Amino acid sequence: MKKAFTLATLAIILLLGSCKKEKDNVEDHQLSPNRVISIPSDAKSASYTLLVMSIGHDGKNCEGCIWDGGRYIHRDCMGQGNYCAKAVSVALNEIGTDIIATTTDTFDLTTEGFFLMPSRSLDYFDENNNRHYLNIPEQLVFRDSTTLQFTFTGLSFTSRPAYNNN
């Protein structure tokens, strides 16, 4: 739990620090508010990563975008928009040709039993200073009843963003 708190604090500091406007010639090499931060690990089966993103919207102009119990409901900080800053630690795994991300902390995203993930392209720079993107398609995910974790599927790595992050 202490590790999760430390990672979340680091992500918030990095997110707040990224809000400052830099010179135009430097800004192109900076990460966006939607980004991937690698976490060093000795694990061989997965790579551990912190996903930092702006997501969701408030309920003022939303009567509901999640179907639950026979009606549409609204939850702040879920779905499209940039209302909330979130950071979540995940384990990235490649299973055949599929890339999945499973949360490693139980309540980083929400205390709900579901999460409406908006489509997001999260950027990062590799060891050669080349920009890449981890693309996560929009999906409604449910907590695993045993582990209480969320698993996101259909992820891809590209050299250009697949989504516009709105």
Side-chain angles (χ1 to χ4, degrees):
M1 192 69 162
K2 186 174 182 179
K3 180 180 175 183
F5 177 76
T6 303
L7 290 173
T9 303
L10 174 64
I12 290 169
I13 291 169
L14 289 171
L15 183 63
L16 292 175
S18 70
C19 293
K20 295 180 182 176
K21 175 100 172 126
E22 298 290 332
K23 294 180 183 176
D24 288 338
N25 62 347
V26 176
E27 188 174 342
D28 188 49
H29 295 289
Q30 292 184 356
L31 294 171
S32 74
N34 297 292
R35 62 178 156 230
V36 174
I37 300 171
S38 293
I39 301 171
S41 171
D42 293 334
K44 294 178 181 161
S45 62
S47 64
Y48 292 91
T49 304
L50 186 65
L51 307 180
V52 179
M53 55 197 152
S54 294
I55 58 175
H57 52 279
D58 67 19
K60 291 178 185 170
N61 296 314
C62 175
E63 294 180 16
C65 50
I66 301 168
W67 185 257
D68 184 40
R71 64 184 175 96
Y72 282 102
I73 59 170
H74 170 81
R75 292 291 185 262
D76 287 348
C77 305
M78 287 192 195
Q80 294 301 323
N82 295 297
Y83 185 68
C84 303
K86 291 284 187 175
V88 60
S89 176
V90 299
L92 290 176
N93 286 290
E94 194 169 343
I95 301 172
T97 58
D98 297 326
I99 301 170
I100 65 168
T102 303
T103 59
T104 59
D105 293 316
T106 308
F107 299 111
D108 282 352
L109 289 174
T110 183
T111 57
E112 299 281 349
F114 59 88
F115 183 74
L116 179 57
M117 177 68 198
S119 55
R120 284 289 175 263
S121 291
L122 302 122
D123 65 353
Y124 66 97
F125 289 97
D126 67 12
E127 62 278 352
N128 296 320
N129 206 28
N130 297 312
R131 183 174 279 193
H132 297 279
Y133 296 87
L134 171 62
N135 302 297
I136 307 170
E138 180 177 13
Q139 54 197 283
L140 179 61
V141 293
F142 295 91
R143 277 189 202 283
D144 179 275
S145 60
T146 304
T147 66
L148 301 180
Q149 306 307 315
F150 294 113
T151 298
F152 301 100
T153 60
L155 283 64
S156 64
F157 289 98
T158 59
S159 59
R160 301 185 139 239
Y163 307 109
N164 67 9
N165 296 337
N166 289 326

